[in-house]
């Protein structure tokens, strides 16, 4: 009797011995295959998240694009509380009435509202703007003198808590350890020898 050397020959031999092919596969091999698929999916997810982070860093340095989080609902329903927006810094001369912009305030948190009017500022580069949140009935209490603002490009609702949690040192540490373990697991040498059935 010859010893089978290919998978096809092994399948044919199992069929001729009235042993179903599914029964000839050890349960450990099936578990290993499932683990391999899950590992592949996790690696792809990690790769996509890493790519997004790299792109955001490049955009921050080359195009002055950053993220902001909305803790209040003053821009609801356009941008509800808990949203994250992608914003780009532009010169004050480039803004128009109706734009949603973020203005930095000395000693206070930035404010992101819709521009309701624009006037010439104290210098050629500056503008005096009034703003109002979409959920508010009146304009902000005082106008803002600005030379640059950050315009909102788009926003994604309900992801601010996740984004904020990513800044927590424990979450960052846990994510780093999990990513390192995933990479080690993916590239750890495995015994490829097949047992005879």
């Amino acid at each position: 009797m010859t010893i089978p050397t290919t998978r096809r020959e092994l399948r044919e031999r199992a069929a001729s011995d009235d042993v179903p092919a599914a029964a000839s596969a050890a349960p450990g091999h099936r578990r290993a295959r499932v683990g391999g698929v899950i590992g592949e999916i996790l690696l792809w997810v990690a790769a996509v998240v890493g790519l997004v982070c790299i792109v955001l860093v490049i955009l921050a340095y080359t195009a002055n694009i950053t993220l902001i989080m909305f803790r209040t609902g003053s821009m609801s329903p356009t941008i509800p509380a808990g949203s994250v927006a992608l914003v780009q810094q532009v010169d004050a001369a480039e803004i128009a009435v109706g734009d949603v912009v973020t203005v930095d305030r000395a000693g206070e948190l930035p404010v992101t509202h819709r521009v309701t009017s624009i006037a010439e500022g104290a210098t050629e580069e500056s503008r005096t703007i009034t703003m109002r949140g979409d959920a508010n009935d009146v304009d902000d209490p005082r106008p803002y003198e600005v030379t640059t603002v950050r315009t909102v490009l788009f926003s994604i609702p309900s992801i601010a808590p996740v984004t904020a949690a990513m800044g927590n040192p424990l979450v960052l540490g846990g994510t780093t350890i999990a990513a390192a373990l995933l990479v080690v697991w993916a590239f750890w040498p495995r015994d490829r020898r097949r047992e005879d059935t």
Side-chain angles (χ1 to χ4, degrees):
M1 178 184 227
T2 60
I3 297 173
T5 56
T6 65
R7 289 183 184 177
R8 184 175 184 176
E9 290 174 352
L10 285 170
R11 281 196 306 269
E12 289 171 356
R13 180 176 172 191
S16 67
D17 292 342
D18 293 324
V19 179
S24 66
H29 291 302
R30 283 195 295 270
R31 281 194 299 274
R33 262 183 277 150
V34 171
V37 170
I38 292 171
E40 284 288 321
I41 292 170
L42 291 174
L43 281 173
W44 275 105
V45 169
V48 169
V49 170
L51 182 62
V52 168
C53 290
I54 290 168
V55 168
L56 286 175
V57 168
I58 291 170
L59 288 175
Y61 281 102
T62 60
N64 292 320
I65 291 177
T66 54
L67 299 175
I68 60 167
M69 292 183 284
F70 287 79
R71 290 194 169 93
T72 68
S74 64
M75 279 301 295
S76 295
T78 310
I79 306 174
S83 299
V84 170
L86 197 70
V87 295
Q88 182 175 27
Q89 184 173 310
V90 298
D91 293 332
E94 296 180 34
I95 61 177
V97 171
D99 288 348
V100 177
V101 302
T102 299
V103 173
D104 293 312
R105 302 180 292 177
E108 297 181 72
L109 291 173
V111 62
T112 304
H113 284 163
R114 193 175 301 278
V115 177
T116 55
S117 71
I118 304 172
E120 294 296 324
T123 65
E124 189 177 327
E125 298 83 19
S126 67
R127 298 291 185 272
T128 301
I129 62 174
T130 57
M131 301 197 307
R132 177 191 302 182
D134 288 359
N136 299 340
D137 295 327
V138 295
D139 288 346
D140 295 353
R142 59 183 183 276
Y144 304 94
E145 180 87 14
V146 294
T147 53
T148 62
V149 296
R150 290 176 282 165
T151 59
V152 174
L153 303 177
F154 66 87
S155 64
I156 303 171
S158 305
I159 65 166
V162 175
T163 306
M166 293 304 290
N168 183 312
L170 293 176
V171 174
L172 284 173
T175 304
T176 303
I177 292 169
L181 291 174
L182 181 62
V183 170
V184 168
W185 174 83
F187 293 104
W188 192 264
R190 289 174 176 76
D191 186 7
R192 298 291 183 188
R193 290 176 300 176
R194 244 184 258 141
E195 296 178 2
D196 292 335
T197 55

